Amino acid sequence: MKIVLNFLKLIHIHPILVIFIFISFITGTFTQLFLIFLIVIIHEAGHYLAASLYKWRIYSIVLWIFGGVMKTDESNNRKIKEDIIVTIAGPLQHIFIFLLLLSFDYLNILPKSVISQGHYYNAMILLFNLLPIYPLDGGKLLFYFLSTIVPFRKAHQFTIVFSFLSCFSLILVQIIFFPFTLSAFLLISFLIFENWTEWRNKYYTFMRFLLNRLNHPLECNKSEILIISDECRLIDVFKQFRRNRIHELQIAESEYILSENKCLRLYFKEKKVMETIGEIIREP
């Protein structure tokens, strides 16, 4: 019961959802919106339960039409395995919803029309959330996959750019093949705004990633040696850092090696921001 109350306390309603609630009263579609709302609640509960299992700090859960956003500073700063489990915990709830609807249908608890609408919205919300657009679950999974093969900074920026392109592609598809709908316009506008905000904050996201590695050194068996020039600055080296890797920096044409943690301490603690690697290692 306590975990349910904590979950409910974190819920906030996005202004877009307020608009849809108002529209639903006018158009007589409140039943459909209520079904969508319940499905979204269960979806977000999956994320919340998985995050709670890993003791993540969760600040709020913002609900909007066809989805929600769980606000936390733990994402991207934990092991990729944790991020993936927390992310897929939402979509997995749609299997539970599907089985629940089948049970209601078998026991004749709800009218056939409501069951049919439930199945339709359950599938639509699942497919929508799996689109490779940040901050949807599909966009997050794309980012986590890229984080395993390219540096964190490149993976993050590529995900945002790809999300922008996907949003504009959705706009073209909407214009060419479908009539204008307010719901589609608001949804795509929301996604574009979220990605614009994420792009503006990309530097702070990167700095938070680095600070987390400094304050909570990664426990990982995978290491990577980065061959660098002594003319590089520390920030240029950090741009090559990957998740789930412990890095060692070897100065080109020498045997001098710097550990990842030492580089981070030099940058954040000793403020070696503008100095090159060569200048740092030559200091007495």
Side-chain angles (χ1 to χ4, degrees):
M1 180 59 70
K2 182 180 178 180
I3 195 168
V4 174
L5 292 175
N6 290 338
F7 172 69
L8 294 175
K9 288 178 182 177
L10 293 170
I11 291 177
H12 294 76
I13 304 298
H14 193 277
I16 285 182
L17 183 54
V18 175
I19 293 172
F20 274 94
I21 292 173
F22 177 73
I23 293 173
S24 71
F25 277 110
I26 296 175
T27 58
T29 56
F30 183 75
T31 302
Q32 291 89 330
L33 184 66
F34 183 70
L35 279 173
I36 293 172
F37 184 78
L38 286 179
I39 293 170
V40 169
I41 284 283
I42 296 173
H43 178 107
E44 292 304 316
H47 291 309
Y48 174 78
L49 290 172
S52 298
L53 181 66
Y54 288 114
K55 302 187 185 320
W56 284 21
R57 293 185 300 273
I58 304 167
Y59 303 118
S60 67
I61 299 170
V62 182
L63 300 180
W64 49 286
I65 194 71
F66 283 137
V69 177
M70 185 173 68
K71 300 291 185 180
T72 173
D73 59 7
E74 302 283 0
S75 181
N76 303 335
N77 295 323
R78 295 293 193 107
K79 294 180 180 179
I80 291 181
K81 176 184 175 182
E82 285 188 28
D83 280 332
I84 291 175
I85 290 174
V86 171
T87 300
I88 64 174
L92 286 176
Q93 301 312 304
H94 292 268
I95 299 174
F96 166 73
I97 296 170
F98 173 75
L99 295 174
L100 190 65
L101 289 170
L102 286 181
S103 301
F104 286 167
D105 187 25
Y106 179 77
L107 298 172
N108 292 320
I109 294 175
L110 293 173
K112 295 287 185 181
S113 59
V114 175
I115 296 293
S116 178
Q117 287 180 342
H119 282 301
Y120 173 76
Y121 290 126
N122 187 45
M124 289 297 293
I125 293 171
L126 172 61
L127 293 175
F128 176 74
N129 275 279
L130 290 178
L131 290 174
I133 301 174
Y134 185 87
L136 302 178
D137 295 331
K140 291 179 180 179
L141 291 173
L142 171 64
F143 171 56
Y144 302 147
F145 169 73
L146 291 173
S147 296
T148 64
I149 56 177
V150 299
F152 176 91
R153 184 171 176 270
K154 283 186 178 180
H156 184 242
Q157 293 188 6
F158 178 87
T159 301
I160 300 172
V161 172
F162 186 83
S163 297
F164 270 124
L165 294 175
S166 298
C167 287
F168 291 124
S169 298
L170 287 176
I171 292 173
L172 288 177
V173 170
Q174 175 70 24
I175 293 173
I176 296 172
F177 298 104
F178 300 99
F180 172 83
T181 61
L182 179 62
S183 59
F185 172 77
L186 291 174
L187 284 172
I188 296 174
S189 298
F190 170 78
L191 292 174
I192 292 174
F193 175 78
E194 286 291 315
N195 280 281
W196 173 247
T197 303
E198 191 69 17
W199 180 261
R200 290 180 60 188
N201 294 332
K202 63 182 184 297
Y203 173 78
Y204 302 103
T205 300
F206 182 51
M207 287 296 106
R208 190 166 62 243
F209 165 72
L210 295 175
L211 279 169
N212 184 72
R213 294 183 78 104
L214 172 62
N215 298 324
H216 306 283
L218 189 65
E219 296 179 4
C220 178
N221 295 325
K222 297 180 180 178
S223 62
E224 182 177 359
I225 297 177
L226 300 176
I227 309 297
I228 59 172
S229 167
D230 62 359
E231 297 179 357
C232 287
R233 293 182 302 158
L234 286 171
I235 191 64
D236 299 319
V237 175
F238 296 154
K239 291 175 183 178
Q240 301 179 51
F241 278 14
R242 296 165 60 183
R243 296 184 67 181
N244 282 18
R245 292 287 191 282
I246 296 175
H247 303 87
E248 290 186 335
L249 283 60
Q250 181 175 344
I251 313 304
E253 301 179 358
S254 78
E255 296 183 357
Y256 195 94
I257 292 179
L258 285 169
S259 69
E260 173 183 307
N261 191 260
K262 183 174 182 179
C263 290
L264 291 168
R265 282 190 286 107
L266 286 168
Y267 187 84
F268 289 106
K269 302 292 186 181
E270 301 182 27
K271 308 301 180 184
K272 304 293 184 182
V273 177
M274 300 305 298
E275 291 90 337
T276 64
I277 298 294
E279 291 170 341
I280 291 173
I281 63 177
R282 284 191 291 270
E283 288 182 354

